[in-house]
């Protein structure tokens, strides 16, 4: 039998299973890029205004490390490629990696690939189908981004180059995920290995962009290659050969390793556990803690780093906005009507809340993974009720999100204090800690919506990511696009206070908490009554 027999069937199955999540990823990526282009066209209508804005970026090393250099300051497309190039490439890589792991290692871990392999399916078909699904998603991102930039009146070649830069980065990390799926025995380990590669690529690019003396580091990073393609800044098409060559090499290595291992096993050795469990590991709550703590620690590290980075560039952002009334107005719409530094910090705190909601949804969906994977059934077969089992996991979206926001707030406060110096007092970390924790009710409401879907409509549990995606689009694009207030009110993050610097009112926070409690109660009631599996 041909090693790729059945690839078409598996590809259609993968696309059908991701018919909600994948279009949301593609749409969100394209919408962010296109809305950024329209925002720049509105804010900087003349070439002189755009060049003045870019001059501030070029002179600020911390902003270059965060967003990269501006290669074409004269056009809206050039500014869009600068603003969305790095983060768009990271998101495209993340999308492709999660997609490939979900349809390879995660399927194998849950035992579904063993059933599929019993039919007329070749050994390489699952990996091929996953890589093709990632290719289709990346090409869709490229096409939509290019069409959107054309609709914004930008040059065709630059639009195509920018779209292909994002797609090429997605292909590289899809191939990295394919290789990681052969090395590790679990989906979480494969995602972790790929995430580490993505983080290393971002760090290398940041080091290279921060200073001309270390610019060589950008050429070691696939994210740096997306920059060096220079959409609207020369369109260096030959750079595309680098990510395509790396993708081909990684894919070939993944195929070679796939033929050298047993189904269900990874090539990296697994460490056997102790013969007896530690005293603190008895009981279902301890099991939930053991399953969830690794993800929480990883998210904590990310939030600490993000707080330090965004807090560290606070002074550069303030200098950039100073004297630019239109940019200050945009910042105020994102962060509230207060001083520029507080408006910037409020927008960053709001971003922390949105990302923490992502962790909360992930922690809630762990319940569904345990149920579908058959691991919940033996736990519930003992003297453990469903609500008690769920409560052990739900402590993480409830309290773990508070830990994440506290870490981000304190880290950002310390970084702002170090960057701005005497302009802020020593209480800045505590001020940002309080501002970050004020996002909790909106985070809990997002988690409760995911829990309600899991309890009442388990087949639609993945739509929890769609709910979060809707909130993100409204919170970040709504003020920029001046959407109607009734649309903005659909996101709970619209109702959180604009802190620091804004007014604090307990009423919306209490309403959000009450609504979150009601949704969580509905989800738990549904879980208690429905069939599992």
């Amino acid at each position: 039998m041909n090693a790729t027999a059945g690839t078409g069937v598996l590809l259609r199955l993968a696309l059908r299973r991701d018919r909600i999540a994948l279009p949301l990823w593609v749409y969100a990526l394209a919408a962010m890029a296109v809305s950024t282009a329209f925002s720049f066209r509105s804010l900087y209508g003349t070439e002189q205004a755009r060049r003045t804005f870019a001059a501030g970026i070029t002179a600020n090393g911390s902003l270059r490390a965060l967003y990269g250099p501006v290669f074409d300051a004269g056009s809206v497309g050039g500014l869009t490629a600068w603003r969305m190039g790095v983060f768009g490439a990271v998101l495209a890589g993340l999308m492709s990696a999660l997609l490939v792991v979900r349809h390879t290692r995660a399927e194998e871990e849950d035992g579904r690939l063993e059933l599929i392999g019993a039919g007329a399916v070749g050994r390489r078909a699952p990996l091929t189908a996953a890589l093709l699904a990632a290719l289709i998603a990346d090409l869709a991102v490229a096409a939509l981004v290019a069409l959107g930039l054309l609709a914004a009146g930008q040059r065709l070649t630059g639009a195509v180059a920018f779209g292909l830069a994002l797609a090429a980065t997605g292909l590289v990390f899809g191939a990295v995920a394919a290789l990681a799926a052969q090395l590790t025995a679990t989906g979480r380990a494969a995602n972790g290995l790929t995430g580490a590669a993505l983080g290393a690529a971002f760090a290398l690019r940041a080091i290279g962009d921060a200073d001309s003396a270390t610019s060589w580091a950008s050429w070691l990073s696939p994210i740096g290659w997306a920059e060096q393609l220079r959409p609207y800044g020369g369109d260096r098409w030959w750079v595309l050969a680098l990510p395509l060559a790396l993708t081909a090499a990684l894919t070939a290595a993944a195929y070679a390793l796939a033929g050298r291992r047993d189904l269900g096993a990874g090539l990296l050795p697994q460490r056997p556990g102790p013969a007896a469990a530690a005293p603190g590991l008895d009981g279902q709550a301890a099991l939930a803690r053991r399953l969830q703590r690794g993800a929480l620690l990883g998210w904590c590290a990310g939030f600490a780093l993000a707080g330090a980075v965004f807090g560290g560039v606070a002074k550069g952002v303030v200098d950039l906005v100073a004297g630019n009334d239109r940019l200050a107005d945009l910042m105020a719409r994102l962060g509230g009507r207060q001083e520029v530094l507080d408006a910037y910090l409020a927008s960053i705190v709001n971003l922390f809340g949105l990302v923490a909601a992502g962790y909360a949804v992930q922690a809630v969906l762990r319940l569904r993974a345990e149920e579908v994977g058959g691991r919940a059934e033996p736990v519930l077969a003992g003297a453990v009720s469903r609500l008690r089992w769920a409560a052990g996991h739900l402590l993480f979206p409830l309290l773990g999100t508070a830990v994440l926001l506290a870490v981000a707030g304190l880290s950002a406060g310390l970084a702002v204090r170090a960057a701005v110096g005497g302009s802020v007092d020593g209480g800045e970390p505590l001020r940002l800690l309080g501002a970050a924790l004020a996002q909790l009710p909106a985070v809990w409401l997002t988690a409760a919506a995911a829990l309600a879907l899991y309890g009442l409509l388990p087949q639609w549990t993945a739509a929890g990511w769609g709910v979060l995606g809707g909130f993100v689009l409204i919170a970040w694009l709504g003020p920029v696009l001046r959407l109607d207030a009734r649309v903005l009110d659909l996101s709970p993050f619209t109702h959180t206070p604009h802190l620091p610097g804004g007014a604090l009112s307990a009423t919306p926070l209490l309403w959000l908490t009450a609504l979150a409690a009601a949704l969580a109660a509905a989800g738990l009631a549904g879980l208690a009554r429905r069939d599992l599996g």
Side-chain angles (χ1 to χ4, degrees), residues 136-515:
I136 291 171
D138 289 323
L139 291 179
V141 169
L144 285 181
V145 167
L147 289 173
L149 289 177
L150 283 176
Q154 301 309 299
R155 199 174 66 242
L156 172 64
T157 52
V160 173
F162 184 47
L164 289 179
L166 301 184
T169 311
L171 289 177
V172 168
F173 286 100
V176 170
L179 184 60
Q182 314 311 315
L183 297 174
T184 61
T186 66
R188 280 186 298 163
N191 282 327
L193 203 58
T194 311
L198 195 57
F202 183 90
L204 281 171
R205 182 216 57 82
I207 293 170
D209 290 340
D211 195 293
S212 59
T214 57
S215 60
W216 54 268
S218 289
W219 289 96
L220 302 178
S221 164
I223 300 174
W225 297 340
E227 280 182 353
Q228 296 300 331
L229 184 57
R230 300 190 179 184
Y232 296 101
D235 301 333
R236 300 197 294 190
W237 299 101
W238 63 268
V239 177
L240 277 175
L242 297 175
L244 294 180
L246 182 58
T247 299
L250 291 170
T251 302
Y255 277 122
L257 294 180
R260 297 172 182 268
R261 65 177 180 84
D262 294 330
L263 188 67
L267 290 173
L268 293 178
Q270 286 189 289
R271 187 179 60 181
L281 289 179
D282 58 337
Q284 58 81 31
L287 176 61
R289 187 172 66 248
R290 181 71 178 82
L291 292 172
Q292 298 255 16
R293 70 178 183 184
L296 178 60
L297 291 174
W299 280 81
C300 275
F303 268 70
L305 179 62
V309 170
F310 284 113
V313 302
K315 188 175 185 306
V317 172
V318 172
D319 293 342
L320 187 64
V321 173
N324 190 326
D325 295 338
R326 303 190 73 175
L327 188 57
D329 178 64
L330 173 63
M331 192 71 70
R333 273 185 270 146
L334 288 171
R337 298 284 171 185
Q338 54 249 38
E339 295 296 326
V340 170
L341 178 59
D342 282 346
Y344 166 71
L345 294 175
S347 67
I348 294 307
V349 164
N350 185 254
L351 176 62
F352 290 153
L354 290 167
V355 179
Y359 164 76
V361 172
Q362 182 195 52
V364 170
L365 297 194
R366 181 77 199 198
L367 288 168
R368 180 64 177 167
E370 292 297 297
E371 179 184 339
V372 174
R375 295 180 291 274
E377 190 173 347
V379 175
L380 296 173
V384 177
S385 69
R386 294 186 184 187
L387 295 183
R388 190 176 158 202
W389 167 70
H393 287 275
L394 294 179
L395 283 176
F396 285 84
L398 181 66
L399 301 180
T401 50
V403 173
L404 293 181
L405 289 171
V407 167
L410 288 172
S411 174
L414 291 170
V416 171
R417 174 69 179 159
V420 180
S423 301
V424 297
D425 59 34
E428 190 70 9
L430 293 179
R431 204 166 69 104
L432 282 177
L433 170 64
L437 292 179
Q439 300 290 319
L440 269 178
V443 174
W444 288 338
L445 180 57
T446 310
L451 178 60
L453 285 168
Y454 167 65
L456 298 171
L457 301 167
Q459 68 274 24
W460 288 93
T461 303
W465 290 113
V467 173
L468 173 62
F471 292 164
V472 170
L473 289 177
I474 291 173
W476 275 87
L477 301 184
V480 176
L481 300 178
R482 299 182 185 277
L483 295 180
D484 189 88
R486 287 170 294 185
V487 177
L488 296 177
D489 286 343
L490 293 176
S491 170
F493 294 93
T494 303
H495 305 282
T496 53
H498 294 290
L499 297 175
L504 174 61
S505 172
T507 303
L509 300 182
L510 292 174
W511 274 110
L512 290 174
T513 304
L515 186 55

